[in-house]
Amino acid sequence: MQASITPETRAKIRGTIRRIKEFGREISSLIYMTSVVVPRVDAEEELLGDEFGIQVRIRDAKYIAAHINDSIQTIQAFRSYLSHYLEYLRNIGSAETIGDVPRVASRSLCVFLGQELERRRGNTEMLEGVTDSLILWSLEGTDPDKGTFMTRDDILRKIEGALPTAVDVMRGVLDSRLERLAAKDNTSGREIRSYNKEGHYCLPFEARQIVEQENAEDEYLRTSVSDVFRSRIEPLLRSDDEPELVSQAVRACHRALEIAYETQGLEMAYFLNGDEPDNFTPPTISDNLGKALHDQGLFGAKAIRVGELAFSALRLTIYDSSEEERVYLGKMSRTYILMFLLRNDAKVVEYFRGMSADLVLYVGTDIIVRSLSEYYLQKKDQSTIGTLEILREAGSKLILTERCVEEVWTHLKATSAEYQNH
């Protein structure tokens, strides 16, 4: 029996069997345990078994996950050796959906707001959803069994410390939302406990369970996206590549996407404040990848190689994304944009609350160019075109002026002429 975390399962098993035989030992069967997901396990077992004339059994990550609760022994082994690594998921917003962003509030608040608004979508208006989420976030650490509570003023102070701009918007609805969250007939059930006589509030056990479940789901989503990146990167490895390049490239992919959404949020914040600097140019994915490699401390030839692998994976994220990636990117986009909005001008939340279908959007040249650039993408990856369709179906008014079309057409003609002549 052998256990390994090596990504290359087939090469590892071959090497093990050969070494055993080199030492003069007889081997009739090998059980190989791995934390890696092995595609087509039965085919791998048959191939290696026929090659060496022995019985090979592979127990990969999916097998372990499916059988971890099969016996008292496996459950106890999990509790003794692994469960403490997952304790962080019990804390509000602890899933690593996004990275740390110096320009906004704490990462845990960003993540938790994204989770909560996703869960509440369709049940409450945006202002109420944001207020509810901030209340629940502020009550982290309260526990009726331990006698730890917070008052209304405590809640307000904690929120103000993290998001000063949100307090003025919340004041008008805070009391009604506290009452609603504590009500038995709340659409999501009783989400907080209130002790009216003392003016105390706390999170019940059920709410903490929901937090843990949402963190686990988000963490699993991020892990699934990492597996997608890994499946694209591993076939590109050369014989002289170090195995650690795969994990480094996966981390670079995640960080490059985070930087893209940080920039998107920053651009929105500049727009709202009307103070966009003259030299502000949104970076490309390759620019973001360069910064991500720098953040990892990778330089020289190694950075170039890791960058090549990561860029190949990210190209497919943009041009042929998986379902996991689309869900993951959607969560990141909503979380980052919301946090930058709240950090810079929380009144935008009230604006969206009353806007409904009264949005009038003037389609500028940038949107036309972005839409044209998506023409040959699969429909699932046409984000700009898809957004315009959603807006139109929701009753928004889209206005395309002749001047914008003329500007794009003129540029296209000029570029074509330059290509033909030069």
Side-chain angles (χ1 to χ4, degrees):
M1 182 173 177
Q2 180 180 25
S4 175
I5 62 171
T6 304
E8 292 295 330
T9 298
R10 188 184 301 176
K12 183 70 173 176
I13 292 175
R14 279 174 173 159
T16 298
I17 296 173
R18 285 170 183 155
R19 281 196 302 275
I20 291 174
K21 291 188 174 183
E22 285 171 5
F23 278 90
R25 294 183 179 179
E26 292 293 327
I27 176 172
S28 58
S29 65
L30 174 71
I31 300 174
Y32 182 80
M33 304 284 291
T34 177
S35 58
V36 176
V37 174
V38 180
R40 300 182 65 226
V41 170
D42 53 344
E44 290 292 317
E45 290 175 340
E46 186 175 348
L47 184 148
L48 292 164
D50 291 345
E51 182 177 336
F52 292 99
I54 68 171
Q55 184 184 53
V56 176
R57 290 289 175 265
I58 299 172
R59 302 292 183 248
D60 70 345
K62 287 185 177 179
Y63 178 91
I64 295 170
H67 294 278
I68 196 70
N69 292 315
D70 279 4
S71 69
I72 298 297
Q73 290 80 4
T74 55
I75 293 172
Q76 191 56 48
F78 169 78
R79 288 174 178 167
S80 299
Y81 299 108
L82 296 176
S83 62
H84 59 280
Y85 290 113
L86 303 177
E87 278 297 315
Y88 72 98
L89 292 176
R90 298 181 186 276
N91 301 322
I92 282 180
S94 59
E96 296 184 1
T97 312
I98 63 173
D100 290 313
V101 189
R103 301 184 187 90
V104 297
S106 67
R107 184 186 63 81
S108 64
L109 176 54
C110 299
V111 173
F112 183 66
L113 269 175
Q115 290 172 338
E116 282 296 297
L117 292 180
E118 179 73 18
R119 183 165 68 91
R120 297 171 188 278
R121 190 164 59 179
N123 295 327
T124 58
E125 294 185 4
M126 189 172 182
L127 177 60
E128 283 75 11
V130 170
T131 304
D132 292 353
S133 304
L134 289 172
I135 290 171
L136 293 176
W137 172 81
S138 69
L139 289 171
E140 183 185 20
T142 58
D143 188 338
D145 296 331
K146 296 179 181 178
T148 52
F149 305 96
M150 292 181 74
T151 65
R152 176 191 182 279
D153 291 340
D154 293 334
I155 293 170
L156 207 55
R157 273 194 296 272
K158 185 171 179 180
I159 294 171
E160 186 175 19
L163 284 174
T165 58
V167 174
D168 290 338
V169 177
M170 285 180 52
R171 287 186 190 278
V173 295
L174 179 60
D175 291 327
S176 62
R177 296 318 298 172
L178 284 169
E179 183 179 343
R180 187 62 186 162
L181 289 172
K184 290 181 180 178
D185 60 347
N186 182 16
T187 53
S188 301
R190 180 180 284 171
E191 295 182 85
I192 66 173
R193 286 188 185 177
S194 67
Y195 300 84
N196 295 331
K197 189 175 180 181
E198 300 86 357
H200 288 168
Y201 298 94
C202 67
L203 285 180
F205 174 72
E206 294 76 16
R208 294 197 294 275
Q209 275 188 315
I210 291 173
V211 166
E212 188 174 348
Q213 179 183 343
E214 288 176 344
N215 283 335
E217 289 173 356
D218 277 3
E219 198 69 9
Y220 179 73
L221 176 62
R222 182 182 173 91
T223 304
S224 300
V225 173
S226 294
D227 289 340
V228 172
F229 292 153
R230 195 171 287 108
S231 68
R232 295 171 183 163
I233 293 167
E234 287 176 349
L236 303 176
L237 290 176
R238 300 191 298 247
S239 58
D240 59 337
D241 282 333
E242 299 173 0
E244 65 181 19
L245 293 186
V246 177
S247 57
Q248 290 171 335
V250 168
R251 286 197 296 271
C253 288
H254 280 292
R255 183 62 191 133
L257 292 173
E258 288 171 2
I259 294 170
Y261 285 112
E262 286 173 22
T263 308
Q264 182 188 61
L266 186 60
E267 189 176 5
M268 176 66 81
Y270 281 141
F271 170 74
L272 289 172
N273 293 335
D275 60 357
E276 183 173 341
D278 295 334
N279 60 349
F280 180 76
T281 304
T284 63
I285 285 292
S286 56
D287 293 333
N288 296 340
L289 195 52
K291 188 176 185 309
L293 295 170
H294 182 271
D295 291 347
Q296 282 194 57
L298 298 176
F299 303 96
K302 190 169 190 178
I304 292 173
R305 182 60 183 143
V306 172
E308 289 173 351
L309 295 171
F311 193 76
S312 297
L314 287 175
R315 280 184 64 84
L316 290 174
T317 302
I318 296 168
Y319 296 119
D320 188 15
S321 61
S322 65
E323 176 64 23
E324 296 93 338
E325 287 174 306
R326 290 193 295 279
V327 174
Y328 179 65
L329 295 179
K331 280 180 175 287
M332 287 178 66
S333 179
R334 286 190 296 273
T335 303
Y336 274 113
I337 284 289
L338 177 65
M339 284 309 304
F340 274 99
L341 292 179
L342 290 175
R343 190 66 174 175
N344 287 274
D345 190 355
K347 292 179 181 177
V348 173
V349 175
E350 282 193 302
Y351 170 74
F352 280 120
R353 179 192 191 195
M355 186 176 63
S356 186
D358 296 330
L359 176 66
V360 177
L361 176 67
Y362 285 86
V363 180
T365 55
D366 56 335
I367 297 179
I368 298 174
V369 172
R370 283 172 62 112
S371 300
L372 288 172
S373 74
E374 294 179 352
Y375 187 82
Y376 289 105
L377 292 183
Q378 297 185 54
K379 189 171 180 62
K380 63 183 183 179
D381 295 311
Q382 294 175 344
S383 58
T384 305
I385 295 171
T387 301
L388 293 173
E389 289 176 350
I390 291 170
L391 286 169
R392 187 173 57 189
E393 289 170 6
S396 300
K397 190 174 183 180
L398 306 180
I399 298 176
L400 176 62
T401 66
E402 189 173 346
R403 184 181 294 272
C404 278
V405 178
E406 197 64 44
E407 182 181 350
V408 175
W409 173 238
T410 302
H411 278 295
L412 286 172
K413 285 196 295 184
T415 304
S416 179
E418 182 181 3
Y419 175 76
Q420 294 294 337
N421 293 318
H422 301 287

